[in-house]
Amino acid sequence: MNLIKKNEIPVDVYIPFVETLFRDGLTLSIGFFAQTLLVVLVYWKTMDPAYLAVTLGLLAVAFLRLRNIRKYRHAPSPQNWEEARRRENDYILYGSMHGFMLGAFCFVGIYLAYDPFAEIAAVCVTLASATSIAGRNYGSPRMVVIFIMTMTWPISLGFILRGDPYHFILGLLSAPFLFAIKRFADLVREVLFAALSEEKKANRIAQRFNRALNTMSHGLVMLGPDGRVAVANAEAAHLMSRKSPDALLGRSIHGLLMRGVAGGMLAPKDCRYIEAQLTRALREGRDRKVLVSLANGQHYEFSAREGSQELGVITFEDVTARVEAEDKIRFMARYDNLTGLPNRAYFHELVGEAMVSGDRDRLCGLAVLDLDDFKSVNDTLGHPIGDGLIYAVAERLAAIARQDITVSRFGGDEFMIFFDRVEDESHLTSQLDEIFAGLQGEVDVAGHGLRIQASGGAVLSRVKDTDVDAMIVKADLALYKAKELGKNSWRLFEASMDAAFRNRQLMKADLRTAVESKGLRVVYQPIVAMSTMRIASCEALCRWDHPDLGPISPSIFIPLAEEMGIISEISTFVLQAACAECAKWPDQTSVSVNLSAKDFRNRDVIQKVRDALAGSGLAASRLEIEVTETALLDDKSLTRQYIEELKQIGVRIALDDFGTGYSSLSYLHKLPLDKIKIDRSFLMDVTQNPRSLELLKGIVNLSRPLGLSVTVEGVETFEQLKILALQVKPDLVQGFLFGSALSASGIETMSNTVWPFAKDINTAKRAARR
C-alpha cells in the first residue's frame, strides 16, 4: 500500500493535498442521491429485504460522510502534519464505509439476491463511482486503495461464486481494472504534486523578488513593449508621491515625468531632456545615466537599460548625498582649506583657460607675493597665529578679485595674482601699488597685533608669447630681487634677472661638480704670535678656480653651497686636507678650520673630526675648530654637547667673529672655549677713534681672566699692528699685513720665519717703556 509517511513530502505540500479531500461536497451529495435512488428502485422491483438493508446503510453513511465533509471544508487549514493526518484519517473512515456499502450492493445483486436488473444496476453504479476515485481521492493514496478494494473485490467475488467459466473469467478481469484505477490515481497525484511544488517554488521566488524589489534603495520601473509601466517597486511609488506601485502601472515615461513637472520639482525643459535621453537609451539598447537637480535641492540619477523579453528597465535614486560629497571633494581639490582661495593647481587651470581664450595679442600680468619674515611669526607665536595672519592677508587680497583678476594661495605664505587684459606697464604698476598699499597696516590675530609686510615680484607679457609656468618663474625671479633689495616692496621682471638666474643655476651645477670631483683647493692664512712674530697657526680657507670664470670669491660660492645643502661636504674636504698638510709642518704650527652651522646640527661632526685626525696622524692638540655664532644660535644645548665631545678628543675650540652677534659675551662663560677671534670691524678705525681702542682693550682684558687666548683679525697696516702691540696686547694677530693666504708648502717654508717688522715693534715697545 502506497502510504504517505511523515517527512516523505513537505508538510506545505501534504496539507493542500488533505484539503482537496474536503473540497467538493456537492458532487458527493449528487452521487449519494443517485446511488440511493438506484438501490431503492432495485428494492421496489425485487422487494428483497437485503436491498432495504443496503438502502438504510447507504443513507446512514451519506449522512455521516457529508457531515464530515462540511465540518472540515470551512475549517482553517491544518497547522501541522499531525492535524492534517487526523483529518485524512476521518475522511478514510467515512469513505471506507461508503465503499463498503457500494461493494455490498454489488455482492448482493450479483450473488446473494441475484436479479438481472439488480446485477446491472449494481455494476453500473459501482463503475460510475469508480471513475471518481482518482479525481476525488488522489490526495490520499490509502483512500484510493480502500475504495478499489471495497468496490471492486465484491464484484469479482460475486462473479467467481456464480461458478460458470464465463462469470469466473469476468471476475478475474477486475484485477487489471483495479491496477488501472490505482495507476491513474498515482499519476494524477504525481502531476498535481509536481504542479503544487512548482507553484510553491514560484510563489517563494515571487515573494523574494517582491521583497527585493520593494526593499531596493533605488526606484525601479520596467516598461513593456508598448512603452508603459509593467512593473514598479515601492521606492518608485514613493519618489512619484504615490501610495502603492500599482498606481504607476500602465503609465508612460512622459506621464511619470510630468508628475514631477506638476509638483514643481522639474522644469519642463528638464522633463523633455530626461525623456529624450531615456527613450534613446532604451531604443538603442545602451546604458545611459542622467543626473537631474530638483527644485528642492535634491539630486536624482536616472538610469535606463534594455532588459530581457522586450522589457526596458529604468532606475532612479536619490544621489543628493553623493553629489554634495563630490562637490565638497571638488572644492577641497580646487580651493585652499584655510583661505578659501583657489589653490596652486586650480589657479594654474583657471589662468591657463583664460590665456587660451580671447585676444591672444593682449597683455596680461602675474604677481607673486610673499610675507616677509613669516617664519619668525610661526617660530615665536605658533602656527595657529601664523595661519591667522595668512587668513587676514587672504581676506584683503580676495577683496580685489574680479572677472579679470584671479587671486590664489600658492602655498605657505605665498600668494599669486593674475591680471588679465592689462593696458600697459603703468596700468599693472598702479594696480600692484594699490594692492601693496591695501596690505599695509596691523591686523589683530588672537590678541596679537601683527603688521603685514610683504615682498612681491611681477611680470608683464603678451599672452601669445608666454604660458603660465614661464610667467611664474619670471615673477619668482623678480620676487628674489625685491627681497635682495630690502623687502617690503615689489619689483617688475627684467631680462637681466633671467640672465642672472641662469648664470646662478649654471654656477650651482659647476660647484656641485667641483665638490664631487674634489676640484676645490685649500690655502692657509698665517696667524702670527705677537710675542715672537712667527707663524703660530694658520686658518684653512677654501678656494674655487672655475675653469671658465677663473677664481670665484668665497663670498659667492660659500652662500651658494649653503643654499644647495652641500656646505658640509666642503667642510669635510677642508678639514681632511688641513689635517693632512698640518701633519707635515713643524710641531709648533697648528691649523684652524671653520665648520658651518649645518655641521653642528648633526653629531656626525664628531666622527668627521675623528676620521680627519686618524687619517692624517695629526695630534688633536694641533687642530683648532672655529665655531660661528650662527651655529650657536641654532641649538645652544646641542652645540654645547658637541663642543664638549670635541674637547674630550683634545681639539681646541675658538669662537669666530666675536662681537658681531646678539649675545656673544654670554658664550664666554657658558661654553668650554679656548680662544676668541675678534672681528675685523673692531680694528677698522682703531688708529683714529679712541672709543674703538678702548672697546678693543676691554674685550681683551675681559677674556684673559677667563683663560681665553685672543686673536685679532683684519690687521692690514703697520699702525694697527703697532697699537695692538703697545696697548691692546692680544695673543695672536691675523690679516693681510702678513701677506695673502699661502699654499701648504708656503706655510711649511715660512713656519720658522720672523716677520721683518718684528724689529720695529720691539723698538716701539722699548720706547714706550721709557
Side-chain angles (χ1 to χ4, degrees):
M1 184 178 294
N2 186 12
L3 301 180
I4 297 178
K5 298 179 180 180
K6 188 173 183 180
N7 298 329
E8 185 177 290
I9 62 173
V11 67
D12 59 343
V13 175
Y14 175 57
I15 289 175
F17 273 2
V18 172
E19 289 182 315
T20 61
L21 301 175
F22 303 94
R23 186 169 296 167
D24 189 7
L26 178 61
T27 58
L28 184 61
S29 300
I30 295 173
F32 270 120
F33 175 77
Q35 292 164 3
T36 304
L37 180 61
L38 192 57
V39 177
V40 169
L41 286 177
V42 172
Y43 172 69
W44 186 266
K45 179 180 181 298
T46 62
M47 299 303 292
D48 191 318
Y51 295 110
L52 180 60
V54 172
T55 300
L56 296 174
L58 194 57
L59 287 171
V61 170
F63 172 77
L64 294 174
R65 192 175 184 196
L66 289 175
R67 187 182 66 173
N68 180 254
I69 292 294
R70 190 178 300 110
K71 173 183 176 182
Y72 290 117
R73 184 173 59 193
H74 301 294
S77 297
Q79 298 301 310
N80 50 51
W81 177 279
E82 287 73 17
E83 186 177 349
R85 191 69 165 183
R86 278 198 303 273
R87 294 190 185 186
E88 183 187 10
N89 290 338
D90 286 352
Y91 182 84
I92 291 173
L93 174 62
Y94 298 111
S96 300
M97 293 180 183
H98 188 185
F100 176 77
M101 292 310 302
L102 291 177
F105 177 43
C106 292
F107 186 73
V108 171
I110 294 172
Y111 181 70
L112 289 182
Y114 172 74
D115 179 81
F117 175 73
E119 180 181 19
I120 294 172
V123 172
C124 287
V125 75
T126 302
L127 292 179
S129 299
T131 59
S132 67
I133 292 176
R136 180 186 298 279
N137 303 284
Y138 64 85
S140 176
R142 292 186 294 163
M143 190 72 261
V144 171
V145 173
I146 291 172
F147 266 132
I148 293 173
M149 292 171 58
T150 56
M151 293 170 64
T152 59
W153 285 10
I155 295 177
S156 297
L157 181 60
F159 283 143
I160 292 172
L161 291 177
R162 292 280 290 272
D164 61 277
Y166 301 103
H167 282 85
F168 184 82
I169 294 172
L170 185 61
L172 294 178
L173 287 177
S174 64
F177 180 69
L178 181 149
F179 175 77
I181 294 176
K182 182 179 183 303
R183 180 60 185 157
F184 179 65
D186 291 342
L187 182 61
V188 171
R189 184 172 61 257
E190 290 173 3
V191 171
L192 292 177
F193 175 75
L196 189 59
S197 297
E198 290 302 319
E199 180 184 6
K200 294 287 185 182
K201 187 184 297 184
N203 288 338
R204 284 195 295 269
I205 293 174
Q207 290 173 357
R208 292 171 184 170
F209 173 74
N210 186 62
R211 187 179 301 112
L213 189 67
N214 289 295
T215 55
M216 289 175 61
S217 60
H218 296 36
L220 179 143
V221 294
M222 298 180 70
L223 304 177
D226 59 352
R228 296 186 176 275
V229 177
V231 177
N233 68 352
E235 185 64 18
H238 172 70
L239 295 177
M240 294 293 178
S241 301
R242 289 294 188 176
K243 292 183 179 180
S244 71
D246 294 339
L248 303 180
L249 301 182
R251 293 181 177 272
S252 63
I253 297 177
H254 180 75
L256 294 176
L257 295 176
M258 287 306 295
R259 285 197 54 80
V261 175
M265 304 297 288
L266 280 176
K269 64 177 182 179
D270 292 334
C271 176
R272 290 192 294 271
Y273 172 72
I274 298 170
E275 182 179 359
Q277 293 295 316
L278 297 180
T279 303
R280 181 181 176 186
L282 294 173
R283 183 175 64 252
E284 296 176 355
R286 295 188 302 174
D287 291 353
R288 190 179 297 273
K289 293 185 177 182
V290 183
L291 181 64
V292 180
S293 298
L294 303 185
N296 63 356
Q298 290 182 299
H299 303 272
Y300 280 86
E301 186 176 71
F302 288 76
S303 302
R305 64 185 64 85
E306 185 181 19
S308 60
Q309 299 178 353
E310 300 182 350
L311 290 177
V313 180
I314 296 177
T315 59
F316 44 97
E317 62 173 321
D318 185 347
V319 294
T320 304
R322 190 192 77 191
V323 171
E324 290 176 351
E326 289 174 350
D327 289 343
K328 185 175 181 180
I329 292 171
R330 191 178 299 108
F331 182 86
M332 293 172 63
R334 292 181 169 183
Y335 294 89
D336 175 57
N337 62 351
L338 174 61
T339 64
L341 295 175
N343 60 18
R344 178 192 297 262
Y346 193 42
F347 175 80
H348 197 288
E349 180 182 338
L350 291 174
V351 174
E353 291 175 355
M355 293 180 70
V356 298
S357 62
D359 181 14
R360 297 278 295 166
D361 200 46
R362 71 185 189 275
L363 287 172
C364 64
L366 187 142
V368 54
L369 276 67
D370 186 88
L371 299 184
D372 294 335
D373 302 319
F374 178 73
K375 185 177 183 298
S376 64
V377 176
N378 279 338
D379 292 343
T380 57
L381 301 178
H383 288 275
I385 303 300
D387 288 345
L389 179 59
I390 289 175
Y391 183 81
V393 173
E395 277 190 317
R396 299 191 180 189
L397 293 178
I400 68 169
R402 53 180 185 265
Q403 185 175 1
D404 58 343
I405 297 181
T406 304
V407 180
S408 165
R409 182 191 178 195
F410 227 53
D413 60 330
E414 190 174 64
F415 296 87
M416 286 278 180
I417 308 174
F418 176 72
F419 303 88
D420 200 3
R421 307 184 188 281
V422 179
E423 296 175 6
D424 50 29
E425 182 177 324
S426 62
H427 182 210
L428 178 63
T429 299
S430 64
Q431 290 188 87
L432 284 172
D433 286 341
E434 185 178 345
I435 290 172
F436 267 76
L439 287 177
Q440 299 301 317
E442 279 196 356
V443 292
D444 182 87
V445 181
H448 298 275
L450 303 178
R451 178 170 293 278
I452 298 176
Q453 181 175 310
S455 299
V459 60
L460 181 66
S461 180
R462 294 201 178 275
V463 173
K464 65 180 182 181
D465 298 331
T466 188
D467 57 35
V468 183
D469 293 325
M471 293 183 74
I472 292 174
V473 170
K474 292 177 180 179
D476 277 335
L477 293 177
L479 171 65
Y480 296 150
K481 190 65 176 178
K483 286 185 175 291
E484 286 179 7
L485 297 177
K487 303 180 180 180
N488 197 27
S489 64
W490 69 274
R491 295 275 297 181
L492 188 64
F493 173 78
E494 299 172 0
S496 59
M497 297 178 185
D498 186 49
F501 173 75
R502 295 180 184 277
N503 291 335
R504 184 180 179 85
Q505 296 305 110
L506 290 174
M507 187 172 289
K508 283 183 178 181
D510 293 341
L511 178 58
R512 186 179 296 276
T513 301
V515 171
E516 292 175 352
S517 62
K518 299 188 181 301
L520 304 177
R521 62 187 177 91
V522 180
V523 295
Y524 304 90
Q525 186 174 36
I527 300 175
V528 179
M530 283 295 296
S531 59
T532 63
M533 281 295 147
R534 296 176 184 269
I535 296 177
S537 181
C538 57
E539 181 178 358
L541 303 173
C542 188
R543 294 291 183 264
W544 179 27
D545 298 319
H546 193 279
D548 299 321
L549 304 177
I552 305 297
S553 171
S555 63
I556 295 177
F557 77 82
I558 292 299
L560 274 183
E562 291 176 341
E563 181 181 329
M564 296 166 61
I566 60 174
I567 189 66
S568 291
E569 284 83 345
I570 294 179
S571 299
T572 301
F573 168 76
V574 173
L575 180 64
Q576 292 177 347
C579 289
E581 294 299 338
C582 186
K584 303 174 185 177
W585 300 339
D587 293 343
Q588 72 273 14
T589 306
S590 60
V591 69
S592 178
V593 178
N594 197 328
L595 297 184
S596 69
K598 183 180 178 182
D599 291 317
F600 280 94
R601 293 175 191 153
N602 194 314
R603 68 172 300 102
D604 289 346
V605 65
I606 310 300
Q607 192 59 43
K608 285 181 182 180
V609 173
R610 291 182 185 273
D611 293 342
L613 292 173
S616 62
L618 181 69
S621 59
R622 296 179 61 190
L623 175 63
E624 184 176 86
I625 299 298
E626 295 187 12
V627 184
T628 62
E629 190 171 344
T630 305
L632 300 176
L633 286 174
D634 281 351
D635 192 330
K636 294 180 182 179
S637 61
L638 197 60
T639 304
R640 177 186 177 88
Q641 177 185 337
Y642 294 158
I643 289 176
E644 289 177 346
E645 292 187 36
L646 290 173
K647 290 280 290 181
Q648 291 175 4
I649 297 174
V651 174
R652 290 177 292 132
I653 306 297
L655 180 61
D656 195 15
D657 299 332
F658 180 81
T660 59
Y662 298 103
S663 55
S664 297
L665 292 176
S666 65
Y667 301 134
L668 299 183
H669 67 89
K670 289 183 178 179
L671 297 176
L673 301 174
D674 297 290
K675 177 194 293 185
I676 62 170
K677 299 185 71 174
I678 300 176
D679 187 72
R680 66 181 67 246
S681 59
F682 287 88
L683 195 62
M684 292 179 62
D685 60 346
V686 72
T687 57
Q688 291 86 23
N689 191 341
R691 290 173 62 88
S692 297
L693 176 61
E694 291 302 321
L695 180 59
L696 194 58
K697 290 168 61 178
I699 294 174
V700 174
N701 294 332
L702 179 67
S703 301
R704 283 234 168 82
L706 298 177
L708 300 175
S709 61
V710 179
T711 299
V712 177
E713 298 179 297
V715 180
E716 298 180 356
T717 67
F718 180 75
E719 288 73 15
Q720 290 175 335
L721 179 63
K722 184 177 178 181
I723 289 177
L724 291 175
L726 297 178
Q727 300 189 49
V728 180
K729 300 178 182 178
D731 300 292
L732 302 162
V733 290
Q734 177 181 349
F736 287 115
L737 178 63
F738 305 99
S740 60
L742 304 174
S743 64
S745 59
I747 293 294
E748 184 176 4
T749 301
M750 297 188 64
S751 59
N752 292 315
T753 302
V754 178
W755 253 260
F757 39 72
K759 183 177 180 182
D760 297 331
I761 293 296
N762 290 330
T763 301
K765 286 181 178 179
R766 286 194 296 271
R769 284 196 292 268
R770 288 197 293 268

